[in-house]
Each structure stands twice: as structure tokens, then as C-alpha cells.
Amino acid sequence: MSGGLVTLGETMGLVAADGIGSLEFARGFAFGIGGAESNVAIGVARLGGSATWIGRVGRDATGDLIERRLRGEGVRATVIRDSSFTGLMVKHRRTAGLLHVDYHRAGSAGSRLVPADVPAAAVRSAGILHVTGITPALSGTARETVFHAVEAAHAAGVTVSVDVNYRSKLWSSYDAAPVLRDLVTRAQVVFAGPDEAELVLGPGGNPAERLAGLGPSEVVIKDGARGCTALIEGERHAVKALEVTVVDPVGAGDAFVAGYLADRLAGAGPAARLGTAIAAGAFAVTFPGDCEGLPTRPDLESLLSATDNVSR
């Protein structure tokens, strides 16, 4: 099925400690998968859209799990098996309000992505190519691959979506800023947090307007519990966040992006896209894990229509 989402990047195994406190005292762990791009692909698929993920994993049990999970979610997974290991992230809640994430991904299979890994036909037939600022931080070849895919999308007239998604544990702001700015200038749709916008642009001014000045026609500023603001085809929007009980904030931004892009692919207008994005992000934080809490359409309907906390 053509016209869906195509994305590429690294998906890792995710080890999450149970409870709250120092990792050395944790006695229970859950194991799953996580990665910004695959989270968005799963999120779009759960909302009824077509999604393709492209990436490398190791010839190991974690790589097997990633491939099975993606395909089980209805994502078209172009999985390249690599001789290196599948990356890993370890997550624990140091205090009730502080979530700590460590990465073990230097030299991983996912960091060895190369332009030849991206099928030209998949990009040409896409409705949206979605990339993030994470993948360019992984290696020189991964960065080259992201820009190669973006240029292929441009040549085919395919919309390019970029989530700035700056990760300070992967590269410095000094190294990241010019690359992320270059990526933003090549996109039609851009997502960023206020701090990420400042990283790309420097301080001052309205972040949505300033990012739009680099070329994108749709700029969405994700602002957590404050909701979001956007400048879409010259029209300003602001949507408040929904009040929910936060269990795990990781993955909320990816759920937000998936909600917006799923509705965009379905032909919904800007207000509907932003409403779905806000609801998807709110639903995701009520469940532990990177992708486990990504909602379906019925989930969103339940969230928006709930009057009590009992479903009968």
C-alpha cells in the first residue's frame, strides 16, 4: 500500500527497572524495545495508517524480538541483519520525578546504517518520509543515510517530516546545531521542543515562527504538560494538554508525532491533527514502556469520553 509513512533509524532493546530508587537496588526488570522512529511507525500503524521502518539490528535475540514486534504491530519492517550487536538502553526511575536513561549503542548494528539500506521504491511511494535528529548523531554513515533519504524524498515530491529530537548523550549541542538546522531547512513538517528550537536557532523570538522561517510550512512545538503551539500554512494554533496521571513520560513525544502524522496521512485538517497528537501523547504517558502505551483509535475515544476510571 503506497502513500503511508516511511521512517528509518535505530531500534534498541529496552531494559527497565521496576520501582523507584537506585539501579543497584533494583530486583525486577522488564525487557522490551524502543526507538523514536519505530515508536512513530508503530503509533501510526495502531491508528490505522500504513507504516514502514528501515534499520539494522544484530544477529541476536534482541534483533529477533525487534523484528517480530514490528511485524506483529503491522509495520512493514525492512530489517538488515548486521554482524554487530543490537543497541540497548537501560532505564530506571531514580526518584519519583526523575527518570534516568543510559544508552549502550556506540558501534551498534543500528549505527551502521548506510544509504544503500534505504529502498528507493519505498521512499518514492511514501506519503511522508519521517526522520529524527537522533540518527544523524549515531555515526557518519547514519547521518549520510538520513540526508540521502531526504534528498530521495525531495526528488520524488514526497513530504519530509523531521522531529529534532536532540539527545545530549549522543552529541554536543555544538556538533548537533548545524546538522539539525540543515535537516530542518529540508523539511516540510517539523516537530521540536522549545529548548530544541533554541538549539537550532539560538535564543529569542517565537520558536514556531522562527523555525518556519527556515522553510517548513508546518511547525509544531511540543511543550509537554503545557500542550503545543503550531504554525501550519501560516495559521497559528494552540492546544492545551490533557490532564492524566503520568506513569512513564518516555515515548510521549513519539506518540504525539504519530498522532499528528497518522491524521495528516488520513487527510485530516490541522486542528484535528493537533487534537489527535495531544490525545495520543497523553495516553502514552499513562503506561510504562517506550511503545507499549501507543494508542489505538478506540483508546483515544475512551480517553476523550471518559467520565470515570471504570470501563464496564
Side-chain angles (χ1 to χ4, degrees), residues 72-94:
E73 293 283 356
V75 174
R76 289 180 176 84
T78 300
V79 178
I80 299 99
R81 293 289 180 153
D82 192 276
S83 58
S84 191
F85 63 94
T86 302
L88 187 69
M89 57 178 162
V90 179
K91 184 169 66 173
H92 74 282
R93 193 174 290 280
R94 185 67 183 85

Side-chain angles (χ1 to χ4, degrees), residues 128-154:
I128 297 173
L129 173 74
H130 177 69
V131 297
T132 78
I134 297 172
T135 305
L138 301 179
S139 70
T141 62
R143 185 178 311 169
E144 183 183 357
T145 303
V146 169
F147 282 92
H148 167 81
V150 168
E151 291 308 311
H154 284 172

Side-chain angles (χ1 to χ4, degrees), residues 12-299:
M12 298 165 285
L14 169 59
V15 178
D18 295 337
I20 299 172
S22 173
L23 186 63
E24 67 181 298
F25 299 117
R27 294 296 177 265
F29 295 86
F31 189 74
I33 70 170
E37 298 86 1
S38 57
N39 289 347
V40 172
I42 291 170
V44 167
R46 287 192 183 177
L47 292 171
S50 170
T52 298
W53 175 87
I54 302 161
R56 286 181 175 250
V57 299
R59 299 187 184 101
D60 48 36
T62 304
D64 294 342
L65 173 63
I66 289 168
E67 185 169 0
R68 285 197 305 270
R69 284 287 303 276
L70 288 172
R71 291 184 173 156
E73 293 283 356
V75 174
R76 289 180 176 84
T78 300
V79 178
I80 299 99
R81 293 289 180 153
D82 192 276
S83 58
S84 191
F85 63 94
T86 302
L88 187 69
M89 57 178 162
V90 179
K91 184 169 66 173
H92 74 282
R93 193 174 290 280
R94 185 67 183 85
T95 67
L98 178 61
L99 188 68
H100 191 90
V101 180
D102 290 321
Y103 296 119
H104 302 273
R105 62 201 303 184
S108 67
S111 72
R112 290 158 59 128
L113 201 65
V114 296
D117 292 337
V118 181
V123 176
R124 285 196 302 267
S125 64
I128 297 173
L129 173 74
H130 177 69
V131 297
T132 78
I134 297 172
T135 305
L138 301 179
S139 70
T141 62
R143 185 178 311 169
E144 183 183 357
T145 303
V146 169
F147 282 92
H148 167 81
V150 168
E151 291 308 311
H154 284 172
V158 171
T159 296
V160 174
S161 165
V162 170
D163 189 348
V164 173
N165 241 335
Y166 172 62
R167 295 289 184 267
S168 62
K169 289 189 175 182
L170 297 179
W171 54 350
S172 70
S173 59
Y174 177 84
D175 290 331
V179 177
L180 297 175
R181 183 183 177 93
D182 194 7
L183 204 53
V184 167
T185 64
R186 299 166 190 255
Q188 287 80 52
V189 182
V190 170
F191 302 91
D195 291 344
E196 292 170 335
E198 187 170 305
L199 171 68
V200 172
L201 299 162
N206 180 289
E209 291 178 0
R210 294 183 68 209
L211 284 172
L214 295 179
S217 56
E218 301 176 31
V219 176
V220 183
I221 303 300
K222 302 178 290 183
D223 203 7
R226 287 173 289 277
C228 71
T229 57
L231 185 63
I232 300 174
E233 303 292 352
E235 184 178 353
R236 292 177 176 81
H237 301 263
V239 184
K240 293 181 180 179
L242 299 176
E243 291 188 13
V244 294
T245 300
V246 177
V247 174
D248 185 350
V250 174
D254 300 332
F256 180 101
V257 170
Y260 184 94
L261 295 181
D263 266 20
R264 194 184 192 281
L265 287 165
R273 296 176 215 162
L274 292 168
T276 299
I278 285 287
F283 191 91
V285 302
T286 65
F287 201 91
D290 239 39
C291 59
E292 288 80 357
L294 293 165
T296 62
R297 294 285 181 184
D299 288 332

